[in-house]
Amino acid sequence: MPKLGMEPIRKEALVKAAIVEIGRTGSLDVTVSQIARRAGMSSALAHHYFGSKEDMFLAAMRHVMTLYGAEVRGALAAAEGPEGRIRAILRASFSPGNFRREAVGAWLTFWVLAQSVPQAKRLLAIYQGRLRSNLVSALRPLAGRRSDEIAESLGALIDGLYLREVLKSGLPDGTAAADIALRHLEAELQRGN
């Protein structure tokens, strides 16, 4: 007889293990057995909870996005003024909790998955829409009609900095990545409307 309340605990363990394994390999070439082993359970149990590796990857990405969203909301709550809001979003995007090897690897894998899996594509569109909306809202008082253009370039820059991070060795440097994005923001704002 299964222990009551174990399902959410085991699912969370599998999601965290998937993030670690994806980050370790940097690709979708992770097996359910590897993930289950890291989580301390059998691959049959992992399949029972998620059905497929794809479903497990989607759950892992939802987890990464939930953490990211919470950090951005917290940063926005403490921000003052439109420029403070933009800076908060950029810093949260490269915070130690979001810009760590495992999370960066999960994002890379997620972008690949979104090319062929409709649920992943939908989830990516939701993330991109929220990021863009937050940026445009904060940029509008500062950049007027250029708000959409600047928000688009900042979103692309965030994605690009994550991609570059996957391709290099060593620990992620979120401060350096945030500084690049902030310099881009300053240059765009200096250009005026």
Side-chain angles (χ1 to χ4, degrees), residues 16-73:
K16 289 179 178 179
I19 293 167
V20 170
E21 286 298 314
I22 291 167
R24 188 182 62 74
T25 63
S27 76
L28 290 170
D29 293 334
V30 175
T31 66
V32 172
S33 294
Q34 288 171 295
I35 295 168
R37 193 174 318 115
R38 180 165 296 274
M41 60 188 81
S42 70
S43 59
L45 196 54
H47 278 289
H48 167 74
Y49 286 128
F50 286 101
S52 72
K53 182 169 77 167
E54 186 178 282
D55 290 338
M56 199 176 305
F57 286 164
L58 287 169
M61 207 53 224
R62 282 188 199 96
H63 178 76
V64 167
M65 292 173 115
T66 298
L67 296 177
Y68 171 78
E71 191 147 352
V72 169
R73 284 188 301 279

Side-chain angles (χ1 to χ4, degrees), residues 87 90-91 94 157 161 173-186:
R87 290 176 177 280
L90 295 175
R91 285 194 182 102
F94 301 106
L157 185 57
L161 288 166
D173 188 349
T175 302
D179 287 346
I180 291 169
L182 290 167
R183 281 195 306 272
H184 176 72
L185 170 66
E186 289 164 12

Side-chain angles (χ1 to χ4, degrees), residues 8-190:
I9 294 167
R10 288 180 177 155
K11 279 185 167 183
E12 183 178 351
L14 286 164
V15 162
K16 289 179 178 179
I19 293 167
V20 170
E21 286 298 314
I22 291 167
R24 188 182 62 74
T25 63
S27 76
L28 290 170
D29 293 334
V30 175
T31 66
V32 172
S33 294
Q34 288 171 295
I35 295 168
R37 193 174 318 115
R38 180 165 296 274
M41 60 188 81
S42 70
S43 59
L45 196 54
H47 278 289
H48 167 74
Y49 286 128
F50 286 101
S52 72
K53 182 169 77 167
E54 186 178 282
D55 290 338
M56 199 176 305
F57 286 164
L58 287 169
M61 207 53 224
R62 282 188 199 96
H63 178 76
V64 167
M65 292 173 115
T66 298
L67 296 177
Y68 171 78
E71 191 147 352
V72 169
R73 284 188 301 279
L76 287 172
E80 293 185 22
E83 190 168 343
R85 291 179 62 78
I86 302 163
R87 290 176 177 280
I89 293 166
L90 295 175
R91 285 194 182 102
S93 295
F94 301 106
S95 70
N98 290 315
F99 203 62
R100 64 188 198 286
R101 179 68 52 210
E102 295 86 6
V104 171
W107 276 104
L108 177 66
T109 304
F110 183 58
W111 290 322
V112 171
L113 197 62
Q115 298 302 303
S116 60
V117 177
Q119 299 102 316
K121 188 173 188 170
R122 183 182 147 286
L123 195 55
L124 183 59
I126 290 169
Y127 155 75
Q128 289 173 333
R130 286 182 183 161
L131 175 63
R132 189 173 191 289
S133 174
N134 283 330
L135 290 170
V136 168
S137 175
L139 282 163
R140 205 162 268 131
L142 302 169
R145 60 182 166 71
R146 293 192 58 237
S147 300
D148 290 333
E149 171 192 334
I150 297 170
E152 191 66 32
S153 68
L154 286 170
L157 185 57
I158 291 168
D159 290 349
L161 288 166
Y162 268 71
L163 180 58
R164 281 187 167 210
E165 190 59 42
V166 168
L167 300 174
K168 74 177 198 180
S169 60
L171 293 174
D173 188 349
T175 302
D179 287 346
I180 291 169
L182 290 167
R183 281 195 306 272
H184 176 72
L185 170 66
E186 289 164 12
E188 288 293 337
L189 292 177
Q190 286 176 1

